[in-house]
Amino acid sequence: MTNSIQEIKGTDAMFIIGSNTSENHPVIGAIMKQAKKAGAKMIVADPRRIEMAEYADVFLQLKPGTNIALLNGLMHVIIEKGLQADSYIDEKTENYEELKRLVKDYTPERVAEICGVDAQDIIDAATIYGEAGKAGIYYTMGITQHTTGTHAVMSISNLALLCGNVGIESAGVNPLRGQNNVQGACDMGGLPADLPGYQKVFKPEVLDKFQDSWGSKLSNKVGLTITEMFKAIEEDQVKFLYIMGENPMVSDPDTNHVRKILDHVDFMVVQDIFLTETAEMADVVLPAAAFAEKDGTFTNTERRIQRVRKAVEAPGEAKADWIILMDIMNRMGDETRYLNPAIIMEEIASLTPSYGGVTYKRLETESLQWPVPDQNHPGTKFLHKTAMARGRGLFMPVEHVESAEITSDEYPLILTTGRILYHYHTMTMTGREDGLNKLAPSSYVEINEASANKLGIENGDRVKIYSRRGELETTALVTDIIEEGVVFMPFHYTEGKANILTNSAIDEIAKIPELKVAAVRVEKA
Amino acid sequence: MNTVKLTINGKQYEIEKGTFVLKACSDIGIDIPTMCHDERLVPSGSCRLCQVEVEGWGKLHTACTTQVKEGMVIHTHSEKVVKARQDLLDMLISNHPLDCLTCESAGACKLQDLCYEYGITEGTYRWEMSKPYYDDTNPFYTFDASKCILCGLCVRVCDELQGTNAIGFENRGFETLVATPFGEGLENSTCVSCGNCVSVCPVGALEPRSKMKFRQWEIETTRTTCSYCGVGCQMDLKTKNNRVVGVEPAFDAHNEGLLCVKGKFSYNFLSHPDRLTMPLVRKDGVLVETTWDEAYNVITSKMKQTKEDFGSDSFAGLTSARCTNEDNYMFQKMFRSTLGTNNVDHCARL
Amino acid sequence: MITKEKLFEIKEKTKPSLVEKLLEGDRVEFRGDDLVLKGEYYKKQVRIALKNCDIIDPTDIDEYIAFDGYFALLKALTEQEPGDVVAEITESLLRGRGGAGFPTGRKWNEAYKFDADKKYIICNADEGDPGAFMDRSILEKDPHSVLEGMAIGGYAIGSDQGYIYVRAEYPMAVKRLEIAIKQAKEYGLLGNNIFGTGFNFDIELRLGSGAFVCGEGTALMESIEGRRGMPRPKLYRTAHKGLWGKPTIINNVETLANVPAIMNKGAKWFRSIGTEESPGTKVFALVGKVENAGLVEVPMGMTLREIVFDIGGGAQDGKEYKAVQTGGPSGGCIPADLIDTPVDFESLGKIWSIMGSGGMVVMDENTCMVDIAKFFLDFSVDESCGKCVPCREGTKRMHEILDRITKGEGVEGDIERLENLSKTVSSTSLCGLGQTAPNPVITTIKYYRHEYEAHIKDKSCPAKSCKALIKYEITDDCIGCTRCAKVCPVVAITGKVKEKHLIDQAICIKCGACYDVCPVDAISII
C-alpha cells in the first residue's frame, strides 16, 4: 500500500476493485465501512455482488478479465468531464498526452459493452472518483491474477495519477496483501532478481556489498520464478527443490501438472508445521515452529514492521525456521551463528536501506513503516510524499486485451476463484478449526439461477466441472451473488479443489497465473 | 490551542475545548468508572456510572457525554456521586447471577471489580430476575443474557465498527434483551463471528469457547502479530501451561481493537495433534520419523552432491509469505550465499 | 400556484355560507368576532389551539381558509423576513406545550442562526400519556393549523422539509393529516414556490409504532432515521445537530397550532392572555372521576379549582374530591388543599408536579394514592426503552415495592427504599422519561405518606380500594333480597330469602359486584 490502513478513515472516496475486502481483509473491510458511515463515497467493482457492494454508492459487476477496459473507461469520463488534476499532472507526471490519446476510445458505451455493466454507472463511478479530494484505490488478486495483471496495475496507477491521488494522505494505490508476510518475504529478497530491499542481483555494487558482508561469492544471474522452476524441473535443469511453508499442491494452478512436477523432481525438502499435501511428496520433511512459537517480525500490507513474539514452546522437536536454515548453512560450511532473530534483523538493517533504522529495541515502543532509512527516521506513513520513486509519475497507458482463455461451446462458463472469510489459503491451519469447518465445511461452486436453470441444476445438487486441464465434483450453490455466465469457487479445499481447473497461463511480466479466469463446463453429477 | 480552565476535585486544570469530561479526567489520571464507554464509539450514556457532580448544574451529569466548559467545578467522587454509583451498581448486581465462583469471566469482570470498589455485596433488590436466554448456536462464543448488563457495547461495536449489525436490542424496559433480529439466533443471523463483540463485553455475557478451562488470573499474555492475512492485526495471545487459550485484540494498534474470526478464534491449529513434531525422511518410499541429525545429514549430503554434479542453478527454493522476515532472510541467504543461486521465489502471486 | 388573491377569494366564497350553516346548527355562537362553541362547558374556556375544533370540517381546506387559515403563512412569506417571524414568536413568549415549556422562539432562533445546507422541522405528534388526547383532537379536527404552523416554522428557520411523527394508533389523525397534506399540496400551500415567494416546504408523515419513549426528542429522531427508538445523549443541541446531523427543531402539535394565531393577531395579543411568564392558553384532557370529562382550553394561570369545579363540575356522583394528577406519568399528584394553585409552568413545578402535555386526572375519596402511584409507574416500567440502568432496573424495583405494598405485603423500610430509588432514578436517568418517572411516587409519598404507612403497618387501604386489604361484609341492614347472592360470580354469598346474608371470606374474590347491586347499601367495605 502506498498509504496506511488508518488513513482510510480520512478518505473522501474509496474505489475497491478486485478485492472481496470484508472477507479477505476483514478488519480493513470494517474500517472501510466506518469511513462510508462517516460520509466517504464508495465504488466497488467485482464480478460478484460481494458484501462491500451493499455499501457502495456505485457497484460495477464487471465480467472477469475486463478490469483494464473499465479503468480506461473511468479515465475517459474523468478527462471528458475535466476532472483530472491538471497542475498535478504538469508538475509530477509525464506521458499524459499518450494516456489521453489511448483512453479516448474507451467511451462509457463501449466499456459498458466489454465489461457487461451499465454505462451510466461508469460515468457515476468516474464522477465520484474524479470529484473526490482524496481518493484511494484498493485492490487485490482480482486485479493481479490475470495474464494482464501487470497492465491492470499500471492502469490503476494511471487512474490515481490522473486525479493526483499519489503522494497524498488518505489516497493512493493500495494493493491489500493476502498473506501475513508476503510483503516481508518480498522485502527480504524472496524473489529471483532481488536481494533484500529490492536490490537487484545484477547490479555489481549491490553484489559487492552483499559479498563483503556474507563473505561468499554470489551469482549475478537472475534466478527462476516458480513457474520457471517447474518448467526447469520438467526439463531436468533443477534437481533439488526446497520448500519452506508453502503448499503449491493446493495453491497453485493446474494441480495435476504440479503433482507431475513434484513427483519428477530429484530431491525435495519441505519445511512446514503440518504434513501438507506438498510435504507428503517430499524426501525430507522438517517440523517447523508456528508463529506463536518463535520470535521475529512480519511486515504487513501497509509496510508496517511488527514483532512476532514467542508465547508457547513448539511441539516436540519442531524448531523455528531460521534455526533450521542456520543449522543447514553451518553444516554446509557457513560458520555464522545468530543468537536470536534480533541479531538477524541487525544484519538485515545493515544491508537493506529501507529497513536501515529497524531494531528490535525500537519495535518494542514504536510502530515502524518502511522506508525507515536510519535510527532517527520515524518511518513512512505514505509513500511518494515529496517525489515519486522514479522522479516523475509515468503514465503507462495500456489497452484492454482478452483473457488467455475465453469461453467456447465446450466450455461456456467463466470460472473465477477466490478466498472466503472462514478459511485461509490452503486450509493447513483453518482446516483444523472445528468451528470454521462447521461454518464452511466443504467445497462449492456459486452459480447464477439462470445458468443453473439452463443446466437443470438446483441449489445443493452435486455437479461436475470440467476445464481443459481437469475435472472435479462439488456442490452447487445457486445464488444471485454472481451473474449469468460466471461461476465462482473458493480454492481452499482439497476435495473439489478449484485449482484442478484453473489455468496456469501467466502474466509475462509478473509471472502471475490467471487464476481468475478459466473456461469451464458445469454438469449435474 | 483553544482551552478552557476548570476545577476538578479541587485542582485547577487547563483542558482543550470540546474534550469530554471522562477523557479529560482519564488524561489527568482520575479514574471514573464506566461500563458502556469505548473511545472508538459514539458515547451512549447508558450505564450512567460515570456521572459527576458539577457545581451549580443541578442533577448529576455523565462524564462521557459532557464537554468541558470554562469555569466548571467538577467533583468526580463526591458523596452524592459515590452514592449514585453505589445505587446503580446495586441495581445491576440485583439482576445478575452471583455465580462468580464458576463464571469464566471472574477476575476480568468490570461489574465484579466495581462492586468490589464501591462496596456492593449481593444486591438489595434480588426479586424478579431477567428471563433467562442463552444462545449457544455460534461455534466460537456463547451468549448468556442473564449475565448481560445491557451496556450495549456489543451492539454498538457490531454496528459502528464492524458494520455487520447482526445484533440489536429487542423488547423494552426490564425485558430488554440483546438478540438477533426476530430472535432467530446467532446461527441464522448475519453474524460473521469476528468476535469483536466478545472482546468488549465487560462481564461474562459474551464468552469465547475455549478448549481448555482457565481462570483469568492464571493466564499470561504475549503481544504479537496475527498470522493470517496481510492486515497484520496486533493481538495478545492468552496462554496457560504452554498453550494458547484465547486471543484479545490490541486496542492501541492500527486494528484498533478489531479482529476477524480467524485472528480471534482460530488458534487451535497450534496445539493440533497433526502438528509435525519430528523430522521425517523417506525410506523405501515411506516417510518415517528420524533425528534432526540424520535429517540434516541427508539434506546436506544431497546438497553437496547436487552442487558438485549439476551446479548451483540446479537448486530451487520456495520461501514463504507465512514465515517471518528473519526466516525469509535466512532462506534467501542460504540459497544465494551457501548454494550460490538466485533461484528463490515464493507464492506472492497466489 | 396559490396567490394572495386566490386565498382571499376562497375565504370570501366559503365563509358566509359556512357561518350561516353553523349558526343554523345551533352549536355555535359569536363571542366578539369569533365563532365559539355554545354551552356552559365552554364559557370559561379560551380556545386558540382548539379554535376550529368541532366547528369546521377538517377534511375541507376551504373551511379552514374561511376562518383565516393560511393567512398567517401568507403574511409571513410576503411581508416578513424569517428573522421577523422568529422575533415575533420570541416576543410572544410561546412556550412548548409538550411538557417542558421551553420558549419556542429561542428554539427557533438557535436553528435560524445555525448555518447549514439542510434543516428540519419536526412536529412531535407522538402523544402517549395515558388519558391524554389533546394532540389527537387537534390533528383530527384541525390538521391544517399544524401544517400551517410547521410551514411558518420552516420559513423562519430556513427549512424546506418537515416531518410529522404521529402514532400509528391514531388512524383517524393519520388519515386527516394525509388528506390535509394532499389538499395543501394541491393548493400550493405546501410544495415549491409557495405564494410565488420562492419558499419551498414539504411535509412527510412518519408513523410511530407505539413506543412512549419516542415522544422524547432524541428517540424520536432515532426512530425517523430508521433505528430503534432509544434516546441518545444530547452531545449537541438539536437545533444545531439533530435529525441526520442537521439543525432541527421539534415542536409539539399544540405549540404549532398556536403559531398561526400568534402570527395573525400578534405577540402582544397573545401575551394579553395567560400569565406574564406563561402567556396564552393550555389544553387539558380532564379525565378521571370528574363530572364533565373532556378537552378544555383555558388561559394559563387559571386555578385548578376553576378547571376542576367550574368547568369540570367537581367529582363524580357527589363523592369527595381528593386530588388531581397533572402531567401524566411524569407528573405529580396535587392534594385537595392545593386546589387554588394557578395552572402554569412555574406554579405546578413548585408543588412537585408539572404541566406536562396536559393530562389532568381527577381522583375522588375512593382513589388509593399508593395504587395510583403504582398505576403510573406501571406505565413507565412498561414504556422504559431499557437503555439506561436506573430507568430499566430502578423503576422496575419501585414498581415491585409498590405492588407488594398494595397487596399488604409491604415491609418496614419500603417507603425509605422508594424514596431512595426515586432520588437515584430521577437524578441519574438518561432521558426525561426516567428522570420524571418517580414523580407520581414522590408526590404521593409527600402528600399521602399516611396512606403508605396504613398499607404497610396496618395492612389497610384508607381509600378502600386495594383488593388485598379490604373485606366485604353484609350489615344488619340486609333485607334478604338475594340479589347479592345471585350476582356473586363465585357463590361466596349464602342466606335465606328475607334473612341476612353472609359472605364467605375464603371464597370471596372482592370483585365488588354485591356492593354495586345491593339496593339498601347493606354491604360495607372494611
Side-chain angles (χ1 to χ4, degrees), chain B residues 96 99 103-106 108-111 134 142-149 201-208:
Chain B
H96 193 92
D99 63 350
C103 180
E104 300 287 345
S105 283
C109 171
K110 263 197 162 174
L111 184 61
Y134 192 73
T142 55
F143 174 62
D144 182 351
S146 70
K147 293 185 184 177
C148 175
I149 54 161
C201 182
V203 291
L206 283 162
E207 202 63 74

Side-chain angles (χ1 to χ4, degrees), chain A residues 6 9 37 55 180 191 221 246 280 285 294 301 306-307 313 317 327 331 338 347 360 421 510, chain B residues 159 163 225 230 232 242 254 256 262 277 280 282 293 296 313 322 326-327 329 333 336 347 349:
Chain A
Q6 279 294 325
K9 286 189 183 170
K37 274 192 185 179
Y55 292 80
N180 58 325
L191 296 167
K221 189 178 136 200
E246 289 216 0
E280 278 173 8
V285 178
K294 61 183 175 187
T301 187
Q306 307 187 109
R307 276 299 312 275
E313 294 297 331
E317 296 189 19
D327 286 348
R331 282 168 186 254
Y338 302 89
E347 185 172 311
Y360 274 40
L421 174 66
Chain B
D159 169 19
T225 305
N242 199 37
H254 63 285
E256 290 191 319
K262 298 183 285 278
T277 55
L280 308 174
R282 193 168 295 278
D293 206 42
Y296 282 151
D313 286 337
R322 315 289 292 137
E326 294 75 5
D327 295 334
Y329 177 83
K333 186 178 177 188
R336 295 193 157 111
C347 72
R349 305 168 185 88

Side-chain angles (χ1 to χ4, degrees), chain A residues 31 45 62 108 141 146-148 155 190 193 242 251 267 272-273 292 294 341 351 383 401 405 409 435 515:
Chain A
I31 291 170
L62 80 179
M141 300 303 189
H146 293 280
T147 44
T148 55
S155 289
Y242 198 125
S251 62
F267 192 80
D272 213 314
I273 61 173
K294 61 183 175 187
L351 291 165
L383 301 176
V401 285
E405 191 166 79
D409 287 347
L515 291 170

Side-chain angles (χ1 to χ4, degrees), chain B residues 20 42-48 51 59-62 64-67 80 83-84 87-88 91-92 94-95 124-130 148-151 159 168-176, chain C residues 209-213 227-228 230-236 381-394 396-398 400-401 404 414 417 420-421 424-431 435:
Chain B
F20 287 102
V42 178
S44 102
S46 68
C47 81
R48 317 305 292 166
Q51 303 207 60
K59 65 183 184 72
L60 299 174
H61 292 265
T62 43
C64 68
T65 62
T66 308
Q67 292 175 13
K80 195 169 155 192
K83 171 77 172 53
D87 284 351
L88 292 165
M91 289 177 195
L92 282 174
S94 290
N95 190 17
T124 310
Y125 319 103
R126 287 195 80 78
W127 303 324
E128 191 181 328
M129 306 285 279
S130 290
C148 175
I149 54 161
L150 294 165
C151 66
D159 169 19
F169 294 105
E170 294 280 310
N171 307 332
R172 295 200 293 241
F174 196 70
E175 317 276 313
T176 307
Chain C
S209 44
F212 177 70
V213 73
R227 285 190 293 275
R228 177 181 160 99
M230 279 178 140
R232 53 191 187 207
K234 284 188 179 148
L235 303 179
Y236 311 96
V381 167
D382 212 46
E383 294 294 344
S384 162
C385 79
K387 181 171 178 174
C388 79
V389 176
C391 179
R392 181 182 72 235
E393 309 284 338
K396 169 79 180 171
R397 299 314 178 195
M398 291 172 70
E400 284 179 291
I401 296 173
R404 73 183 184 209
D414 272 355
R417 246 168 255 147
N420 184 43
L421 280 165
T424 308
V425 172
S426 64
S427 69
T428 64
S429 286
L430 170 61
C431 83
Q435 287 162 13

Side-chain angles (χ1 to χ4, degrees), chain C residues 267-498:
Chain C
K268 229 180 221 141
W269 162 81
F270 189 73
R271 286 177 67 171
S272 71
I273 303 160
T275 68
E276 200 174 316
E277 283 177 82
S278 308
T281 57
K282 177 77 192 88
V283 182
F284 293 98
L286 190 59
V287 295
K289 307 281 179 67
V290 66
E291 198 62 42
N292 308 319
L295 277 193
V296 296
E297 182 171 357
V298 295
M300 295 270 193
M302 186 181 268
T303 63
L304 280 168
R305 183 188 298 280
E306 285 174 282
I307 298 172
V308 174
F309 286 93
D310 298 356
I311 298 175
Q316 265 172 358
D317 304 331
K319 288 205 174 145
E320 197 184 326
Y321 165 78
K322 182 172 183 179
V324 64
Q325 208 270 2
T326 67
S330 311
C333 287
I334 302 165
D337 55 0
L338 293 172
I339 187 82
D340 288 313
T341 306
V343 178
D344 57 63
F345 291 104
E346 281 67 33
S347 306
L348 288 179
K350 276 181 208 149
I351 54 169
W352 287 88
S353 188
I354 59 165
M355 177 86 81
S357 58
M360 200 172 265
V361 186
V362 175
M363 297 158 200
D364 68 12
E365 55 186 295
N366 291 132
T367 311
C368 168
M369 299 318 275
V370 185
D371 196 47
I372 265 295
K374 187 179 115 180
F375 168 80
F376 281 112
L377 206 65
D378 191 39
F379 182 85
S380 296
V381 167
D382 212 46
E383 294 294 344
S384 162
C385 79
K387 181 171 178 174
C388 79
V389 176
C391 179
R392 181 182 72 235
E393 309 284 338
T395 57
K396 169 79 180 171
R397 299 314 178 195
M398 291 172 70
H399 185 265
E400 284 179 291
I401 296 173
L402 289 168
D403 188 53
R404 73 183 184 209
I405 295 176
T406 57
K407 283 183 176 151
E409 295 160 6
V411 295
E412 196 72 29
D414 272 355
I415 299 177
E416 291 70 25
R417 246 168 255 147
L418 279 174
E419 285 175 326
N420 184 43
L421 280 165
S422 295
K423 215 162 136 190
T424 308
V425 172
S426 64
S427 69
T428 64
S429 286
L430 170 61
C431 83
L433 191 151
Q435 287 162 13
T436 57
N439 285 358
V441 180
I442 294 171
T443 51
T444 48
I445 293 180
K446 186 175 162 67
Y447 299 120
Y448 301 94
R449 196 180 186 97
H450 56 280
E451 287 198 28
Y452 280 83
E453 282 166 351
H455 281 75
I456 296 168
K457 289 182 188 148
D458 312 335
K459 307 294 174 206
S460 80
C461 173
K464 302 197 188 312
S465 150
C466 293
K467 299 283 179 212
L469 300 179
I470 55 169
K471 263 199 310 196
Y472 287 88
E473 272 182 8
I474 299 174
T475 64
D476 292 343
D477 294 340
C478 179
I479 54 169
C481 71
T482 75
R483 285 165 80 170
C484 58
K486 280 180 190 146
V487 82
C488 178
V490 290
V491 205
I493 304 179
T494 50
K496 287 182 184 154
V497 182
K498 297 200 173 165

